[in-house]
Amino acid sequence: MIFVAKQSASSLFERAERDNLRQALPLAARMRPRRLNELVGQQHLVGPGKLLRRLIDADRVGSVIFFGPPGTGKTTLARIIATETQREFAELNAVLHGVKELREVLQASRDRLAATGTGTVLFIDEIHRFNRSQQDALLADVESGVVSLIGATTSNPFFALSGALLSRSQLLELQGLSALEMEQVIAASLSDPERGLGKLGLKIDAGATQRLTSKCNGDARQVLTTLEVAALSSPPGSTITAEIIDQCLLVRAQQYDITGDEHYDCASALIKSMRGSDVDAAIYWLARMIEGGEDIRFLCRRIVILASEDVGNADPQALPMAVACMQACEQIGLPECQFALAQTVAYLACAPKSNASTRAISQARDDVRERAVVPVPSHLRDGHYAGAAELGRGVGYQYAHDAADGVAAQDYLGVDRVYYQPVPRGFELELQHRLETLRKQLGTQ
């Protein structure tokens, strides 16, 4: 005789309740990878032989700082590390929690380690929000191995974290998922009947997949959030199309922080693109900064600087145009001033380039700082005050306009120096020829 044990009503209810709670979670939370072999992306960190994989395999994950854009798996990876190394997982958010909660977690970690020998992975999201004293409160327990600290931030850790914490941490940059990796996430979510959308029997066409991967900017969370809305609002067994994805996509927030990395990185890319004469790249970075809410006055200042620093006299119209753009932007404002900005950026990118003036002033200032100060030659000194002639001030000065060709051959510096050397491009090619004649006349060449 075979006896079948019957489940009690309470256990069936608890199981149903767990299933309901799981289904109530967003798709992004349900599909969160639980083990390292489920993780999609970040193979530069967790691939065979890579640093983080070696740290996990050796169970030597100490203090680690994950930084990178949203939706790249910082929290997920921290949970996986705790699972793979068989440690407890404790989570704090630096926006919501302070030193009180931090000390409680650290004390509980010490007690657990002493009682059971089990270590703790302490994950702190938005760790850059902790001030220096809060960050320093972590140091003793990190150094002693009480906790394995994993901090997560979207900011540059070199700007946001204390030197003491940085010196004790491995800095690991997470990258946005590639199109192929996002396709894997989509396919897994549609096929998984337990955690994903597999029970709905949905399909997705190539256009919809392409739209998701291009619009979500490497953010797996946004991919899954959009996919879930599209799936739950479509009939079971139907096909998700690009049109459906467009209807479900939220307006994408620009990954741009006008006080952080994106501000400096995009400004650098804009300047370097104009300097490198790539007009299309320069226009893109300009658009990226405008869309991100960048201060128009900051953009104007950078454009004016480049007009002198990198174009210079190779195109003498560059600086007046940049200044006119700055004045126009001040008077007009957005959105119309984008046209003046685009026109000026395009002009400067296409203009011939010269840093001859930049190098000239840099070398001259180096001489002023490093060499003996050159006294003003007596005949160039101010001779307009009473008694100046008795001191020899201005005596012997030759008025340039009295010379037949407007060039008075006299010593204007007192030492032999050559600073300005025009490049053979644009208008500076003509200045180069003029300068050869002038220096011969002045006897400086």
Side-chain angles (χ1 to χ4, degrees):
M1 179 176 264
I2 300 175
F3 294 92
V4 179
K6 295 184 178 180
Q7 290 182 310
S8 67
S10 61
S11 65
L12 288 171
F13 178 78
E14 289 171 0
R15 180 178 177 182
E17 187 177 35
R18 286 197 301 270
D19 290 342
N20 289 335
L21 287 172
R22 183 176 62 187
Q23 290 303 316
L25 291 173
L27 179 62
R30 301 201 307 271
M31 291 300 297
R32 189 189 298 274
R34 296 163 293 188
R35 301 303 295 256
L36 205 54
N37 58 7
E38 297 178 9
L39 184 70
V40 176
Q42 314 311 329
Q43 291 305 299
H44 65 294
L45 298 178
V46 298
K50 300 303 182 180
L51 175 60
L52 186 55
R53 167 77 73 165
R54 290 180 177 276
L55 291 173
I56 294 171
D57 290 345
D59 195 10
R60 284 295 179 268
V61 179
S63 178
V64 177
I65 304 297
F66 291 149
F67 67 102
T72 52
K74 294 183 285 292
T75 304
T76 296
L77 196 46
R79 289 180 177 275
I80 288 173
I81 289 171
T83 300
E84 296 285 352
T85 58
Q86 298 181 350
R87 302 185 190 193
E88 290 292 321
F89 182 80
E91 182 175 1
L92 294 176
N93 187 301
V95 176
L96 305 175
H97 305 116
V99 172
K100 177 179 179 293
E101 293 84 358
L102 177 61
R103 286 175 175 164
E104 289 174 356
V105 171
L106 292 175
Q107 185 58 56
S109 300
R110 292 188 204 102
D111 295 342
R112 183 183 304 111
L113 185 64
T116 67
T118 303
T120 301
V121 168
L122 172 57
F123 176 69
I124 302 179
D125 201 8
E126 304 288 341
I127 193 171
H128 62 280
R129 299 288 188 178
F130 272 170
N131 59 36
R132 292 296 190 266
S133 62
Q134 289 171 313
Q135 292 178 30
D136 289 346
L138 293 162
L139 299 180
D141 290 291
V142 167
E143 283 193 333
S144 63
V146 169
V147 294
S148 292
L149 170 67
I150 299 180
T153 176
T154 56
S155 300
N156 188 325
F158 289 101
F159 298 154
L161 302 182
S162 70
L165 187 57
L166 284 174
S167 67
R168 293 164 171 81
S169 305
Q170 295 275 0
L171 303 182
L172 302 177
E173 183 175 10
L174 275 68
Q175 300 171 354
L177 272 63
S178 68
L180 181 59
E181 290 166 345
M182 286 189 283
E183 288 175 13
Q184 295 175 24
V185 171
I186 295 168
S189 300
L190 289 175
S191 62
D192 190 324
E194 297 299 325
R195 295 188 294 156
L197 305 167
K199 291 180 179 179
L200 299 178
L202 294 167
K203 297 181 181 179
I204 186 168
D205 66 25
T209 299
Q210 191 278 331
R211 197 64 55 87
L212 264 178
T213 57
S214 64
K215 292 286 188 179
C216 291
N217 209 33
D219 185 334
R221 186 185 300 113
Q222 188 176 8
V223 167
L224 293 174
T225 300
T226 304
L227 181 63
E228 183 175 30
V229 174
L232 296 180
S233 60
S234 300
S238 62
T239 298
I240 299 173
T241 64
E243 183 181 4
I244 294 173
I245 293 298
D246 285 339
Q247 294 167 353
C248 297
L249 271 169
L250 299 175
V251 176
R252 183 172 65 181
Q254 294 296 317
Q255 290 185 16
Y256 190 85
D257 179 1
I258 61 174
T259 63
D261 279 1
E262 292 296 324
H263 166 78
Y264 296 105
D265 290 344
C266 287
S268 176
L270 172 64
I271 296 304
K272 289 171 180 173
S273 298
M274 286 192 286
R275 181 185 296 143
S277 301
D278 189 331
V279 63
D280 300 305
I283 292 292
Y284 175 84
W285 295 120
L286 173 66
R288 174 84 178 274
M289 297 178 80
I290 292 173
E291 285 295 313
E294 184 57 74
D295 183 356
I296 297 301
R297 290 171 294 181
F298 170 79
L299 286 170
C300 289
R301 289 195 299 270
R302 297 309 308 169
I303 288 169
V304 170
I305 292 168
L306 179 127
S308 282
E309 181 181 6
D310 294 297
V311 178
N313 288 327
D315 185 345
Q317 291 301 312
L319 181 58
M321 186 170 185
V323 172
C325 174
M326 180 167 61
Q327 293 171 341
C329 289
E330 188 70 29
Q331 294 297 319
I332 299 172
L334 283 171
E336 288 83 357
C337 76
Q338 66 181 304
F339 309 131
L341 285 166
Q343 177 188 355
T344 307
V345 164
Y347 185 92
L348 295 178
C350 296
K353 305 299 190 295
S354 170
N355 68 344
S357 299
T358 303
R359 287 187 288 107
I361 189 62
S362 296
Q363 292 169 10
R365 293 191 67 182
D366 284 343
D367 279 358
V368 169
R369 287 190 293 261
E370 305 297 334
R371 294 189 175 191
V373 173
V374 176
V376 178
S378 183
H379 61 281
L380 298 182
R381 296 189 182 189
D382 180 23
H384 291 88
Y385 57 91
E390 296 178 17
L391 298 174
R393 305 294 190 260
V395 175
Y397 170 66
Q398 301 176 48
Y399 189 50
H401 295 286
D402 291 339
D405 54 4
V407 178
Q410 59 187 332
D411 191 350
Y412 287 93
L413 185 56
V415 293
D416 184 19
R417 296 281 193 279
V418 175
Y419 296 117
Y420 184 55
Q421 301 181 63
V423 300
R425 290 187 293 275
F427 185 69
E428 281 205 351
L429 180 59
E430 183 175 338
L431 289 181
Q432 193 177 68
H433 297 320
R434 289 189 198 179
L435 196 53
E436 290 173 0
T437 302
L438 289 170
R439 282 173 173 163
K440 286 178 181 177
Q441 290 178 270
L442 295 169
T444 58
Q445 179 171 304

